[in-house]
Amino acid sequence: VQLQASGGGLVQAGDSLRLSCAASGRTINGYALGWFRQAPGKEREFVAAMARSGGATYYTDSVKGRFTISRDNGKRTVYLQMNRLEPEDTAVYYCAAGARIITSSLRVPTSYDYWGQGTLVTVSS
């Protein structure tokens, strides 16, 4: 599976962005999907994930109520809708897919098999 992330940009605090991650080479139906981010000088951190089966979603506490992960299996695309953006959300955002990830491991980057190249989100105050 090849993943291509897009949709990043420069916005002001309070604005919204929608990131997209398009998959090619294989359907994403059987994969758990995740979004991670990495700010300058920091480690990559979990943002949101959607389980393979049932579509249950999970979020890091700092984005709950502001971000929404969704998927369109027909379009082979996973989205991250980001509302009420804050300067602390500034980072490179990565999408990821994994074939066999148990719920307790969805927040762990090494659980994922495939990664997109990242898209930069900059939020100015």
Side-chain angles (χ1 to χ4, degrees), residues 20-106:
S20 299
C21 179
S24 60
R26 190 172 296 183
T27 179
I28 61 172
N29 296 40
Y31 289 85
L33 302 166
W35 286 96
F36 292 77
R37 65 187 180 188
Q38 187 165 17
K42 295 187 177 181
E43 293 186 352
R44 190 169 299 189
E45 66 170 354
F46 169 77
V47 177
M50 176 174 282
R52 178 184 65 173
S53 59
T57 57
Y58 306 86
Y59 299 93
T60 192
D61 287 346
S62 64
V63 308
K64 283 181 181 177
R66 300 190 298 123
F67 291 13
T68 303
I69 186 173
S70 62
R71 66 198 295 168
D72 186 329
N73 289 333
K75 294 183 178 179
R76 300 185 181 185
T77 302
V78 58
Y79 303 98
L80 185 67
Q81 177 66 44
M82 305 186 295
N83 299 327
R84 303 196 308 277
L85 282 160
E86 303 170 355
E88 293 74 20
D89 297 318
T90 295
V92 176
Y93 283 71
Y94 298 89
C95 57
R100 299 181 181 85
I101 306 177
I102 60 176
T103 300
S104 60
S105 296
L106 285 170

